[in-house]
PDB file of all heavy atoms in Angstrom:
ATOM      1  N   ASN E 104      65.834  82.097  74.515  1.00 91.00           N
ATOM      2  CA  ASN E 104      66.500  83.173  75.242  1.00 91.00           C
ATOM      3  C   ASN E 104      67.713  83.654  74.449  1.00 91.00           C
ATOM      4  O   ASN E 104      68.601  82.859  74.133  1.00 91.00           O
ATOM      5  CB  ASN E 104      66.919  82.692  76.632  1.00 91.00           C
ATOM      6  CG  ASN E 104      67.592  83.781  77.445  1.00 91.00           C
ATOM      7  OD1 ASN E 104      68.788  83.993  77.327  1.00 91.00           O
ATOM      8  ND2 ASN E 104      66.816  84.477  78.253  1.00 91.00           N
ATOM      9  N   TYR E 105      67.753  84.935  74.147  1.00 93.00           N
ATOM     10  CA  TYR E 105      68.804  85.500  73.293  1.00 93.00           C
ATOM     11  C   TYR E 105      70.190  85.283  73.884  1.00 93.00           C
ATOM     12  O   TYR E 105      71.116  84.843  73.195  1.00 93.00           O
ATOM     13  CB  TYR E 105      68.544  86.989  73.075  1.00 93.00           C
ATOM     14  CG  TYR E 105      69.595  87.696  72.253  1.00 93.00           C
ATOM     15  CD1 TYR E 105      69.705  87.466  70.889  1.00 93.00           C
ATOM     16  CD2 TYR E 105      70.475  88.602  72.847  1.00 93.00           C
ATOM     17  CE1 TYR E 105      70.668  88.113  70.129  1.00 93.00           C
ATOM     18  CE2 TYR E 105      71.437  89.253  72.098  1.00 93.00           C
ATOM     19  CZ  TYR E 105      71.533  89.006  70.741  1.00 93.00           C
ATOM     20  OH  TYR E 105      72.496  89.648  69.997  1.00 93.00           O
ATOM     21  N   GLU E 106      70.341  85.575  75.153  1.00 92.00           N
ATOM     22  CA  GLU E 106      71.655  85.437  75.779  1.00 92.00           C
ATOM     23  C   GLU E 106      72.128  83.988  75.755  1.00 92.00           C
ATOM     24  O   GLU E 106      73.313  83.715  75.532  1.00 92.00           O
ATOM     25  CB  GLU E 106      71.595  85.953  77.217  1.00 92.00           C
ATOM     26  CG  GLU E 106      71.339  87.447  77.316  1.00 92.00           C
ATOM     27  CD  GLU E 106      71.244  87.916  78.755  1.00 92.00           C
ATOM     28  OE1 GLU E 106      71.351  87.059  79.662  1.00 92.00           O
ATOM     29  OE2 GLU E 106      71.077  89.121  78.986  1.00 92.00           O
ATOM     30  N   ARG E 107      71.214  83.046  75.983  1.00 92.00           N
ATOM     31  CA  ARG E 107      71.589  81.635  76.014  1.00 92.00           C
ATOM     32  C   ARG E 107      72.098  81.152  74.664  1.00 92.00           C
ATOM     33  O   ARG E 107      73.110  80.455  74.579  1.00 92.00           O
ATOM     34  CB  ARG E 107      70.389  80.784  76.443  1.00 92.00           C
ATOM     35  CG  ARG E 107      70.690  79.292  76.533  1.00 92.00           C
ATOM     36  CD  ARG E 107      69.454  78.505  76.926  1.00 92.00           C
ATOM     37  NE  ARG E 107      68.396  78.669  75.951  1.00 92.00           N
ATOM     38  CZ  ARG E 107      68.346  78.027  74.784  1.00 92.00           C
ATOM     39  NH1 ARG E 107      69.299  77.176  74.455  1.00 92.00           N
ATOM     40  NH2 ARG E 107      67.360  78.221  73.940  1.00 92.00           N
ATOM     41  N   ILE E 108      71.425  81.544  73.576  1.00 93.00           N
ATOM     42  CA  ILE E 108      71.851  81.056  72.265  1.00 93.00           C
ATOM     43  C   ILE E 108      73.140  81.742  71.801  1.00 93.00           C
ATOM     44  O   ILE E 108      73.934  81.142  71.077  1.00 93.00           O
ATOM     45  CB  ILE E 108      70.729  81.190  71.204  1.00 93.00           C
ATOM     46  CG1 ILE E 108      70.321  82.647  70.985  1.00 93.00           C
ATOM     47  CG2 ILE E 108      69.520  80.368  71.590  1.00 93.00           C
ATOM     48  CD1 ILE E 108      69.227  82.808  69.934  1.00 93.00           C
ATOM     49  N   ILE E 109      73.378  82.984  72.251  1.00 95.00           N
ATOM     50  CA  ILE E 109      74.649  83.639  71.922  1.00 95.00           C
ATOM     51  C   ILE E 109      75.790  82.941  72.653  1.00 95.00           C
ATOM     52  O   ILE E 109      76.905  82.808  72.119  1.00 95.00           O
ATOM     53  CB  ILE E 109      74.614  85.139  72.256  1.00 95.00           C
ATOM     54  CG1 ILE E 109      73.517  85.844  71.455  1.00 95.00           C
ATOM     55  CG2 ILE E 109      75.970  85.788  71.952  1.00 95.00           C
ATOM     56  CD1 ILE E 109      73.594  85.632  69.958  1.00 95.00           C
ATOM     57  N   LYS E 110      75.523  82.448  73.847  1.00 94.00           N
ATOM     58  CA  LYS E 110      76.543  81.686  74.585  1.00 94.00           C
ATOM     59  C   LYS E 110      76.912  80.411  73.832  1.00 94.00           C
ATOM     60  O   LYS E 110      78.068  79.972  73.889  1.00 94.00           O
ATOM     61  CB  LYS E 110      76.040  81.351  75.987  1.00 94.00           C
ATOM     62  CG  LYS E 110      76.038  82.549  76.931  1.00 94.00           C
ATOM     63  CD  LYS E 110      75.520  82.166  78.309  1.00 94.00           C
ATOM     64  CE  LYS E 110      75.510  83.378  79.238  1.00 94.00           C
ATOM     65  NZ  LYS E 110      74.989  83.032  80.588  1.00 94.00           N
ATOM     66  N   LYS E 111      75.944  79.799  73.142  1.00 95.00           N
ATOM     67  CA  LYS E 111      76.227  78.613  72.326  1.00 95.00           C
ATOM     68  C   LYS E 111      77.178  78.967  71.188  1.00 95.00           C
ATOM     69  O   LYS E 111      78.122  78.232  70.888  1.00 95.00           O
ATOM     70  CB  LYS E 111      74.930  78.020  71.772  1.00 95.00           C
ATOM     71  CG  LYS E 111      73.964  77.511  72.812  1.00 95.00           C
ATOM     72  CD  LYS E 111      74.511  76.298  73.548  1.00 95.00           C
ATOM     73  CE  LYS E 111      73.513  75.797  74.577  1.00 95.00           C
ATOM     74  NZ  LYS E 111      74.050  74.661  75.357  1.00 95.00           N
ATOM     75  N   LEU E 112      76.920  80.087  70.522  1.00 97.00           N
ATOM     76  CA  LEU E 112      77.804  80.543  69.452  1.00 97.00           C
ATOM     77  C   LEU E 112      79.182  80.895  69.996  1.00 97.00           C
ATOM     78  O   LEU E 112      80.205  80.615  69.358  1.00 97.00           O
ATOM     79  CB  LEU E 112      77.197  81.758  68.745  1.00 97.00           C
ATOM     80  CG  LEU E 112      75.947  81.524  67.906  1.00 97.00           C
ATOM     81  CD1 LEU E 112      75.431  82.847  67.346  1.00 97.00           C
ATOM     82  CD2 LEU E 112      76.223  80.553  66.774  1.00 97.00           C
ATOM     83  N   TYR E 113      79.208  81.504  71.161  1.00 97.00           N
ATOM     84  CA  TYR E 113      80.465  81.883  71.817  1.00 97.00           C
ATOM     85  C   TYR E 113      81.322  80.647  72.087  1.00 97.00           C
ATOM     86  O   TYR E 113      82.532  80.625  71.796  1.00 97.00           O
ATOM     87  CB  TYR E 113      80.137  82.613  73.115  1.00 97.00           C
ATOM     88  CG  TYR E 113      81.319  83.161  73.880  1.00 97.00           C
ATOM     89  CD1 TYR E 113      81.951  84.330  73.473  1.00 97.00           C
ATOM     90  CD2 TYR E 113      81.785  82.523  75.029  1.00 97.00           C
ATOM     91  CE1 TYR E 113      83.023  84.850  74.182  1.00 97.00           C
ATOM     92  CE2 TYR E 113      82.851  83.037  75.744  1.00 97.00           C
ATOM     93  CZ  TYR E 113      83.470  84.207  75.316  1.00 97.00           C
ATOM     94  OH  TYR E 113      84.527  84.712  76.025  1.00 97.00           O
ATOM     95  N   LEU E 114      80.690  79.602  72.615  1.00 97.00           N
ATOM     96  CA  LEU E 114      81.388  78.352  72.886  1.00 97.00           C
ATOM     97  C   LEU E 114      81.911  77.726  71.598  1.00 97.00           C
ATOM     98  O   LEU E 114      83.070  77.284  71.529  1.00 97.00           O
ATOM     99  CB  LEU E 114      80.443  77.373  73.593  1.00 97.00           C
ATOM    100  CG  LEU E 114      80.967  75.940  73.815  1.00 97.00           C
ATOM    101  CD1 LEU E 114      82.194  75.958  74.724  1.00 97.00           C
ATOM    102  CD2 LEU E 114      79.865  75.062  74.390  1.00 97.00           C
ATOM    103  N   SER E 115      81.067  77.717  70.581  1.00 97.00           N
ATOM    104  CA  SER E 115      81.450  77.139  69.294  1.00 97.00           C
ATOM    105  C   SER E 115      82.651  77.860  68.687  1.00 97.00           C
ATOM    106  O   SER E 115      83.600  77.237  68.217  1.00 97.00           O
ATOM    107  CB  SER E 115      80.258  77.198  68.331  1.00 97.00           C
ATOM    108  OG  SER E 115      80.611  76.742  67.056  1.00 97.00           O
ATOM    109  N   MET E 116      82.632  79.183  68.732  1.00 98.00           N
ATOM    110  CA  MET E 116      83.732  79.959  68.157  1.00 98.00           C
ATOM    111  C   MET E 116      85.015  79.781  68.956  1.00 98.00           C
ATOM    112  O   MET E 116      86.106  79.699  68.375  1.00 98.00           O
ATOM    113  CB  MET E 116      83.356  81.444  68.056  1.00 98.00           C
ATOM    114  CG  MET E 116      84.416  82.287  67.386  1.00 98.00           C
ATOM    115  SD  MET E 116      83.919  83.992  67.020  1.00 98.00           S
ATOM    116  CE  MET E 116      82.986  83.767  65.522  1.00 98.00           C
ATOM    117  N   TRP E 117      84.893  79.692  70.277  1.00 97.00           N
ATOM    118  CA  TRP E 117      86.079  79.479  71.102  1.00 97.00           C
ATOM    119  C   TRP E 117      86.726  78.132  70.805  1.00 97.00           C
ATOM    120  O   TRP E 117      87.955  78.012  70.729  1.00 97.00           O
ATOM    121  CB  TRP E 117      85.745  79.582  72.590  1.00 97.00           C
ATOM    122  CG  TRP E 117      86.158  80.869  73.215  1.00 97.00           C
ATOM    123  CD1 TRP E 117      85.363  81.791  73.802  1.00 97.00           C
ATOM    124  CD2 TRP E 117      87.492  81.390  73.311  1.00 97.00           C
ATOM    125  NE1 TRP E 117      86.099  82.862  74.255  1.00 97.00           N
ATOM    126  CE2 TRP E 117      87.407  82.640  73.974  1.00 97.00           C
ATOM    127  CE3 TRP E 117      88.740  80.944  72.896  1.00 97.00           C
ATOM    128  CZ2 TRP E 117      88.525  83.427  74.229  1.00 97.00           C
ATOM    129  CZ3 TRP E 117      89.866  81.732  73.155  1.00 97.00           C
ATOM    130  CH2 TRP E 117      89.747  82.949  73.815  1.00 97.00           C
TER     131      TRP E 117
END
Side-chain angles (χ1 to χ4, degrees):
N104 181 275
Y105 178 71
E106 294 178 358
R107 181 182 61 79
I108 62 179
I109 299 306
K110 286 180 181 179
K111 297 293 181 183
L112 291 177
Y113 184 77
L114 173 63
S115 176
M116 184 171 279
W117 257 119

